[in-house]
Amino acid sequence: FTEKKLLEEQLNITRQRFEAVVETAYDGIISVDGQQNIKLVNDAACSIFDVERAEIMGANLSRLIPQRYRPKHVEYIKSFHKSAVFSRPMHERVAVMGLRNDGVEFPVEVAISKIKVGTETEMTAVVRDISERARLIDELSKAATHDMLTGIANRRQGSKMLIKEIYRCRRFQHQMGIVMLDIDNFKQFNDEYGHPLGDKVIKWVSDIISGSIRETDIFCRWGGEEFLVILPETSQEESFNWASRACESIASSHFFEKITRQITASFGVVVTGGESENLDFLIEQVDKALYRAKENGRNCVSL
């Protein structure tokens, strides 16, 4: 009798220890039976999926998986059931999509293991919400290719796309317009009104140009107050006409802040068929065209 009581006490301590570990775990823990019905779920999992424990206990695991992934998940579980592998190490987590109670999908990492419970095989998943990590990775990825102030492509990305367009021109014997524009007297504007307002002007000009280009056109911030526009399959006349309209659009628009200085921009235009030119040569040519526009009094287009 004493041995039996001691064994029960030890089992009770073991169970309490297990429950304490499960309930205080940072990651979500979910156990399911052979039919994928949830048998155990901790507080962290309830929080991750935004569900109540009473609501989810006994429900099928598919409830926490987006509809389009459920067939693939069923096949994966069957395959794991048949395999000789009993657990996936924590460092080998797989990234999948979860489904919150409000219908929002979000990325999670999952490590799974299986155990025999009598004649049944149960599975336990350790789940970690990686939404914040995915958001940061996405932001870093975007920062590598986009200008943070304007949201358009940065110089590095613009250069890559321009090189691709040069090759396309050469291969398909198309013409392409390259336009460089620069906000006139921007240094004086910054000195007079300050850099915060200067940043607003850069964004304002960027928005005007973005609204005037086609979906196939490429627009990037080349540096400071300077922008580059790539106009694929565009003739010399069409490129010049587009630049003239954009120049007029900036000059005739009213900046939302109360300032006395008119905001204008100068444009340089070069058209190429990509025959033998490289990136550096084309940028040099369009920069010269822009310089001529500045020499001609600014707020104009030089071809």
Side-chain angles (χ1 to χ4, degrees):
F1 176 77
T2 303
E3 289 181 3
K4 182 179 179 182
K5 188 173 182 180
L6 286 173
L7 181 59
E8 288 176 349
E9 288 178 353
Q10 289 174 351
L11 287 172
N12 187 47
I13 291 171
T14 300
R15 186 181 70 253
Q16 289 176 357
R17 185 181 295 128
F18 168 76
E19 289 175 350
V21 170
V22 169
E23 287 307 324
T24 58
Y26 170 81
D27 292 330
I29 298 175
I30 303 172
S31 291
V32 298
D33 60 18
Q35 288 71 50
Q36 295 295 291
N37 296 320
I38 296 173
K39 309 298 289 183
L40 178 147
V41 59
N42 69 347
D43 286 342
C46 290
S47 177
I48 288 172
F49 290 95
D50 192 25
V51 293
E52 298 293 332
R53 191 191 302 267
E55 172 186 5
I56 202 68
M57 285 294 292
N60 195 272
L61 183 64
S62 61
R63 176 172 172 177
L64 306 180
I65 302 170
Q67 180 73 42
R68 66 182 185 279
Y69 294 115
R70 291 174 189 174
K72 188 175 181 180
H73 174 76
V74 170
E75 291 303 314
Y76 176 76
I77 292 299
K78 286 181 180 178
S79 174
F80 191 65
H81 259 294
K82 295 175 183 177
S83 73
V85 178
F86 269 81
S87 67
R88 180 185 295 278
M90 296 299 286
H91 65 272
E92 293 183 11
R93 288 171 177 262
V94 292
V96 297
M97 295 300 291
L99 182 67
R100 287 201 179 91
N101 203 31
D102 58 3
V104 174
E105 297 181 12
F106 66 106
V108 295
E109 279 184 344
V110 180
I112 61 173
S113 62
K114 60 184 178 181
I115 60 170
K116 281 287 186 180
V117 182
T119 58
E120 290 284 320
T121 299
E122 290 191 356
M123 290 193 178
T124 297
V126 179
V127 183
R128 178 171 296 174
D129 185 348
I130 57 171
S131 299
E132 183 64 16
R133 186 200 308 173
R135 184 188 66 79
L136 291 173
I137 291 173
D138 183 62
E139 285 185 0
L140 288 172
S141 177
K142 188 174 181 180
T145 58
H146 286 71
D147 175 57
M148 298 304 291
L149 175 62
T150 61
I152 63 175
N154 60 20
R155 180 169 181 160
R156 180 182 180 187
Q157 184 69 2
S159 297
K160 288 182 179 180
M161 292 188 286
L162 179 53
I163 291 170
K164 287 183 180 179
E165 289 303 322
I166 293 171
Y167 287 135
R168 285 185 72 251
C169 284
R170 198 172 297 161
R171 180 178 178 184
F172 298 107
Q173 298 183 336
H174 291 158
Q175 284 191 312
M176 168 180 63
I178 304 171
V179 182
M180 185 172 284
L181 63 131
D182 182 272
I183 301 172
D184 294 328
N185 301 309
F186 190 73
K187 184 182 183 304
Q188 291 91 323
F189 183 93
N190 266 344
D191 292 343
E192 186 175 349
Y193 295 101
H195 289 278
L197 198 59
D199 285 347
K200 289 183 179 181
V201 169
I202 290 173
K203 179 68 168 64
W204 179 75
V205 170
S206 170
D207 290 343
I208 291 175
I209 299 298
S210 294
S212 69
I213 59 176
R214 305 165 297 185
E215 288 187 8
T216 53
D217 297 334
I218 298 163
F219 182 35
C220 72
R221 186 178 178 190
W222 199 247
E225 68 276 17
E226 202 169 57
F227 301 89
L228 191 76
V229 182
I230 304 167
L231 306 170
E233 299 181 36
T234 307
S235 68
Q236 184 179 79
E237 182 181 1
E238 291 169 334
S239 299
F240 183 83
N241 289 340
W242 176 85
S244 297
R245 290 194 301 271
C247 183
E248 173 60 27
S249 181
I250 293 171
S252 61
S253 298
H254 298 287
F255 186 55
F256 53 87
E257 300 282 351
K258 292 182 179 180
I259 59 174
T260 57
R261 184 188 294 271
Q262 182 190 21
I263 298 169
T264 62
S266 299
F267 289 70
V269 179
V270 164
V271 175
T272 179
E275 294 85 358
S276 59
E277 298 95 333
N278 58 32
L279 174 67
D280 292 337
F281 175 80
L282 288 171
I283 293 300
E284 181 184 351
Q285 295 304 306
V286 76
D287 192 55
K288 285 180 179 178
L290 173 60
Y291 183 75
R292 282 197 295 272
K294 296 283 188 182
E295 284 188 322
N296 291 338
R298 298 183 173 86
N299 189 26
C300 63
V301 181
S302 176
L303 182 64

